[in-house]
Amino acid sequence: MKDGDSHIAPEQAPSGPTPPARPRGSPAAFLLAQVGAHAAARFGELLEPLGLTPAHVGLLRVVGRSSGASQQEVAELLGMFPSRLVGLVDELQERGLIERAASPHDRRINVLLLTDAGERTLTGVGRIARAHQDRLLGALDSQERATLASLLGRIAQDQGLTPGVHPGFARMGPVTQPLSADEPQKRDSD
Amino acid sequence: MKDGDSHIAPEQAPSGPTPPARPRGSPAAFLLAQVGAHAAARFGELLEPLGLTPAHVGLLRVVGRSSGASQQEVAELLGMFPSRLVGLVDELQERGLIERAASPHDRRINVLLLTDAGERTLTGVGRIARAHQDRLLGALDSQERATLASLLGRIAQDQGLTPGVHPGFARMGPVTQPLSADEPQKRDSD
DNA sequence: TATTGTTATACTCTATAACTATA
DNA sequence: TATAGTTATAGAGTATAACAATA
């Protein structure tokens, strides 16, 4: 099979690489993965000046919302391993954004608390998140944004996604989702 | 600052972890990242029985579409480093799905070709992708799916995303996008 | 004995930088 | 000298398992 050109798809002259532009739209499922990854990446970039990663922000928010939860509980809430939480908590504590406090009832337990600085940081993150959204959805008017949010919300609920928690931890292996060009549209018919 | 309970947000009694369920909808940008990551993860799972990763499928599709391109060109097309492509090409070639052929004009160049088995695999992947989409968008009727695809397509174009190519390679560092709970909605006003 | 938080280890994935063979 | 592909090295990130303190 080293000689053959006979099996090359004739739909494309093999004279050069196909330009990536293709007028036809990609399937919605692929667009979701593509735009979603882009959104996450951009948000991560906007976070860099603050010296925070999306993971930090996720933890910060959870601590801000359910202040006083133990690390075990927070890990469960985020669907990640407690051992992984340790490093994140360390880093946020070094920055003075959260702190550990020993539970009076059970001295094994570390209770996580948001500091004033942490709250201020959270406010700043809010600004960034909204700026991020405005830039991301710049092509859509406000009614279209509402429609998009509604459709996505229904998908999220139907798929059993926990509100406010990214998938990609849990028991799914590495989250790294590399390439995967365009998912086929109608290759099945042949 | 080890004694203080004074700064704990009183909005939440620190008697236990907040249940993750929250009726209010998340911002559209967060939903995009969340649902997008979920879509990618689910697609990856469906691919497992074939012994392929999303990366394999992406490469397979590019080779299928622009048959006869060099590795250098394919790497450029996918926006990833040529050295990373080598392993993927190796694996697909071991499975007999693609093959390398020396270019007659320039013997440094390896031209990538899709085999018959590769084409059949691509057909199977097409079936999987559509089943995936049907399951992912099960909560939406066909008109809503079209609306979603349209909105996402406009965002993708506005954001300058290459059709059919996932972001997350290029010069952005590791793609791993861990947690990040709910992005704030209106924390700015305080 | 069970559980909380921590540390240590191993594994996966990726980018960067050498290297070879051709041009 | 420059380029295509390859190999080698190193770094980041994560899961798993072992550990000490407390219950």
Side-chain angles (χ1 to χ4, degrees):
Chain A
M1 244 197 176
K2 211 47 174 306
D3 50 3
D5 279 55
S6 56
H7 62 277
I8 299 179
E11 62 192 22
Q12 175 70 27
S15 53
T18 307
R22 204 185 34 164
R24 284 172 291 160
S26 302
F30 178 80
L31 280 169
L32 266 174
Q34 184 190 32
V35 177
H38 172 77
R42 287 291 290 153
F43 183 63
E45 286 174 16
L46 291 178
L47 245 35
E48 280 177 13
L50 277 76
L52 295 174
T53 67
H56 290 137
V57 170
L59 174 55
L60 206 55
R61 280 225 112 232
V62 167
V63 173
R65 189 118 41 82
S66 56
S67 195
S70 71
Q71 294 189 193
Q72 204 81 208
E73 290 165 335
V74 168
E76 174 69 21
L77 230 55
L78 289 171
M80 75 186 202
F81 289 92
S83 62
R84 187 180 161 191
L85 188 65
V86 176
L88 292 173
V89 171
D90 284 345
E91 290 162 357
L92 289 186
Q93 191 172 26
E94 284 171 13
R95 283 179 174 80
L97 303 182
I98 65 174
E99 56 186 14
R100 292 182 237 237
S103 167
H105 306 301
D106 188 336
R107 288 191 349 203
R108 294 174 299 182
I109 289 177
N110 277 348
V111 151
L112 298 181
L113 303 173
L114 193 68
T115 67
D116 292 341
E119 201 156 353
R120 283 192 297 273
T121 298
L122 220 39
T123 301
V125 169
R127 268 191 290 269
I128 290 179
R130 267 173 301 117
H132 163 60
Q133 172 152 303
D134 282 342
R135 215 173 306 179
L136 183 71
L137 306 183
L140 274 45
D141 63 39
S142 63
Q143 185 174 353
E144 288 168 330
R145 295 182 192 194
T147 300
L148 178 65
S150 167
L151 294 175
L152 291 176
R154 283 167 56 200
I155 295 174
Q157 186 171 9
D158 175 64
Q159 294 291 303
L161 299 180
T162 303
V165 177
H166 265 271
F169 324 93
R171 32 224 69 104
M172 290 199 300
V175 199
T176 335
Q177 39 158 37
L179 38 159
S180 154
D182 226 340
E183 292 170 14
Q185 26 273 89
K186 280 201 177 78
R187 266 197 102 93
D188 195 17
S189 50
D190 51 358
Chain B
M1 243 195 172
K2 209 47 172 308
D3 51 2
D5 278 55
S6 55
H7 62 279
I8 298 181
E11 61 192 22
Q12 174 72 27
S15 53
T18 307
R22 203 184 36 161
R24 283 172 292 158
S26 302
F30 178 80
L31 280 168
L32 264 174
Q34 183 190 31
V35 176
H38 173 76
R42 288 290 291 152
F43 183 63
E45 286 174 16
L46 291 177
L47 245 35
E48 281 178 11
L50 278 75
L52 295 174
T53 67
H56 290 136
V57 170
L59 173 56
L60 206 55
R61 278 227 114 229
V62 167
V63 173
R65 188 119 42 82
S66 57
S67 195
S70 71
Q71 294 189 193
Q72 204 80 209
E73 290 166 334
V74 169
E76 174 68 21
L77 230 53
L78 289 171
M80 75 187 203
F81 289 93
S83 63
R84 187 179 161 195
L85 188 64
V86 175
L88 292 173
V89 171
D90 285 345
E91 290 161 357
L92 290 185
Q93 191 171 28
E94 285 170 13
R95 283 180 174 78
L97 303 182
I98 65 174
E99 56 185 14
R100 292 182 236 237
S103 168
H105 307 301
D106 188 336
R107 289 193 346 200
R108 294 173 300 182
I109 290 178
N110 278 347
V111 152
L112 298 182
L113 303 172
L114 192 68
T115 66
D116 292 341
E119 201 157 352
R120 284 192 299 271
T121 297
L122 220 39
T123 301
V125 169
R127 269 193 289 270
I128 289 179
R130 265 173 303 118
H132 163 60
Q133 173 153 301
D134 283 342
R135 215 175 305 179
L136 183 73
L137 306 183
L140 274 46
D141 63 38
S142 63
Q143 185 174 354
E144 289 167 331
R145 296 183 192 193
T147 300
L148 177 65
S150 169
L151 293 175
L152 291 175
R154 283 168 56 198
I155 295 173
Q157 186 172 9
D158 175 63
Q159 294 290 305
L161 299 180
T162 305
V165 177
H166 265 271
F169 323 93
R171 31 222 73 103
M172 291 199 299
V175 197
T176 334
Q177 38 157 37
L179 37 160
S180 154
D182 225 337
E183 291 169 16
Q185 28 269 91
K186 279 196 178 82
R187 268 198 100 94
D188 196 18
S189 49
D190 51 1

